[in-house]
Amino acid sequence: MSRQRILASLAGVAAAGALTVVMPASPAAAAADCAAAWSSSKVYTGGMTASYKGRNWSAKWWTQNETPGVTTSGVWADKGACGGGTTTPAPSPSSAPSCNHPAWAAGRAYKTGDVVRYTDGRYYRAEHDNPGYDPVISTWYWEPYACSGGSTPTPTPTGPSTPSGFVVSEAQFNQMFPNRNPFYTYKGLTAALGAYPGFAKTGTDTVRKQEAAAFLANVNHETGGLVHVVEQNTANYSHYCDRSQSYGCPAGQSAYYGRGPIQLSWNFNYKAAGDALGINLLSNPNLVQTDSAVAWKTALWYWNTQNGPGTMTPHNAMVNGRGFGETIRSINGSLECGGRNPAQVQSRVNSYQRFTQILGTTPGSNLTC
């Protein structure tokens, strides 16, 4: 099996095979004192703080040389003016004057409290800072919003229904993974799709098939053809507990090893994914290896909401024409892209080309990174 390292490899833990996308920090009041000044050469990990131009900032995940308040990646959370200043409160729904909020734009950075009009005509409010994630992708970053004062207020949606008509049939799924572990069921995958209704449901039929093929090709690479459910190197198990997190490791020191289609690992990844999905994975990480739908949901969580070591989510890469190579960068670019491991890149590309052929579509351009 080829276990992949996402973001954590940049922080010097590639040997442990860790995924280190960190859940964004919650807004908080400004600190009374300024933290240590931000340094472009210093590595910051999730929860670490720095001050820049009179404000305190908190890193949401691994970062280096990304200027607080300037970079558009969304890695830095503004904690307010330091040295006795105050944080400007985010606007609340009750303060919205009307329904004439601006249209949502992919890739534009949004702050907590921003209200946008989505392409479906509905309004959404940013629950947490984000670099332009699709409002229907995750309830962690956006919430439905009923604005006031407009002549025809848009009703608040009750949540997406479970999508139907997945572009990959069960027969095609079985053809892609002839030797898969019985745990990775087609039913579990289709049951998980409701968590991210934009996945393989955005754009033309070709784009939808390409995204499904790209997701499954990367998953194929991560799990050795959907064979491995858990990380095979048990010697790594005790490494994945970061006790610097305030919530610690309630399930135990060795409980957060790699599981599922993306080999989710580390306590903070289980917490981030669990919070986004509404499942307490921090206290019960074993769900990722015992519940097929939950396992698939964690893979879709990463695919649809996390940039990894890349500059965009794999979902955005596929629906915005950036190509399969950009999904590799978002999943394991720090170890494979830029000539670091061309054989691994080609392995992913080969799977993607085979899967697009099975789905009766073309692979498109920009296949490598």
Side-chain angles (χ1 to χ4, degrees):
M1 177 184 66
S2 174
R3 291 185 304 99
Q4 304 306 318
R5 292 84 167 174
I6 304 170
L7 279 183
S9 56
L10 300 175
V13 292
L19 296 166
T20 63
V21 178
V22 179
M23 181 180 176
S26 299
D33 300 310
C34 287
W38 172 77
S39 170
S40 62
S41 62
K42 182 176 179 179
V43 170
Y44 296 89
T45 56
M48 293 180 66
T49 59
S51 63
Y52 183 73
K53 290 191 174 181
R55 303 187 73 80
N56 278 333
W57 302 83
S58 176
K60 300 176 184 178
W61 53 79
W62 190 100
T63 180
Q64 184 180 33
N65 197 27
E66 293 185 278
T67 308
V70 176
T71 180
T72 59
S73 69
V75 64
W76 288 105
D78 188 353
K79 310 306 289 185
C82 57
T86 58
T87 302
T88 303
S92 63
S94 62
S95 66
S98 66
C99 289
N100 60 349
H101 297 287
W104 168 81
R108 178 180 297 169
Y110 291 99
K111 296 290 186 181
T112 302
D114 286 348
V115 178
V116 297
R117 184 182 72 257
Y118 188 52
T119 55
D120 61 3
R122 301 182 189 274
Y123 290 84
Y124 295 84
R125 178 180 179 272
E127 289 189 276
H128 299 89
D129 295 356
N130 70 85
Y133 291 142
D134 192 309
V136 300
I137 288 297
S138 174
T139 57
W140 167 256
Y141 292 104
W142 295 96
E143 63 179 352
Y145 176 79
C147 57
S148 61
S151 57
T152 310
T154 303
T156 300
T158 57
S161 58
T162 301
S164 59
F166 185 40
V167 294
V168 180
S169 69
E170 185 167 9
Q172 290 169 329
F173 179 77
N174 291 335
Q175 185 179 354
M176 292 172 177
F177 304 104
N179 301 311
R180 62 179 172 82
N181 190 305
F183 171 77
Y184 291 115
T185 64
Y186 180 78
K187 182 178 179 181
L189 172 57
T190 56
L193 296 177
Y196 295 98
F199 169 73
K201 300 284 283 186
T202 303
T204 65
D205 183 63
T206 295
V207 171
R208 296 178 183 191
K209 289 180 178 179
Q210 286 175 344
E211 183 181 12
F215 170 75
L216 293 172
N218 279 297
V219 163
N220 176 74
H221 189 83
E222 300 293 317
T223 60
L226 285 185
V227 171
H228 300 291
V229 178
V230 301
E231 182 175 351
Q232 298 300 287
N233 187 357
T234 58
N236 283 338
Y237 283 15
S238 63
H239 296 167
Y240 299 128
C241 174
D242 179 4
R243 293 196 175 277
S244 70
Q245 304 297 326
S246 60
Y247 42 78
C249 301
Q253 175 74 28
S254 300
Y256 301 99
Y257 52 85
R259 295 178 176 88
I262 60 166
Q263 294 291 278
L264 185 72
S265 55
W266 287 97
N267 55 330
F268 39 76
N269 288 312
Y270 278 91
K271 180 169 179 19
D275 285 350
L277 297 168
I279 306 169
N280 188 359
L281 297 181
L282 182 66
S283 295
N284 193 3
N286 202 48
L287 282 173
V288 184
Q289 73 183 72
T290 59
D291 187 315
S292 181
V294 170
W296 282 111
K297 284 180 180 180
T298 63
L300 290 171
W301 163 77
Y302 186 85
W303 183 267
N304 288 279
T305 70
Q306 305 301 312
N307 292 355
T311 60
M312 64 187 69
T313 67
H315 169 76
N316 283 338
M318 294 306 298
V319 302
N320 292 318
R322 295 297 294 272
F324 180 70
E326 199 66 29
T327 72
I328 303 174
R329 191 182 308 280
S330 297
I331 291 174
N332 203 36
S334 59
L335 292 182
E336 296 181 14
C337 294
R340 295 179 182 91
N341 199 330
Q344 294 296 303
V345 170
Q346 190 59 49
S347 174
R348 293 178 191 266
V349 172
N350 291 345
S351 294
Y352 174 63
Q353 291 176 319
R354 181 167 64 88
F355 289 176
T356 54
Q357 185 176 22
I358 289 173
L359 295 180
T361 191
T362 59
S365 57
N366 302 324
L367 299 185
T368 65
C369 60

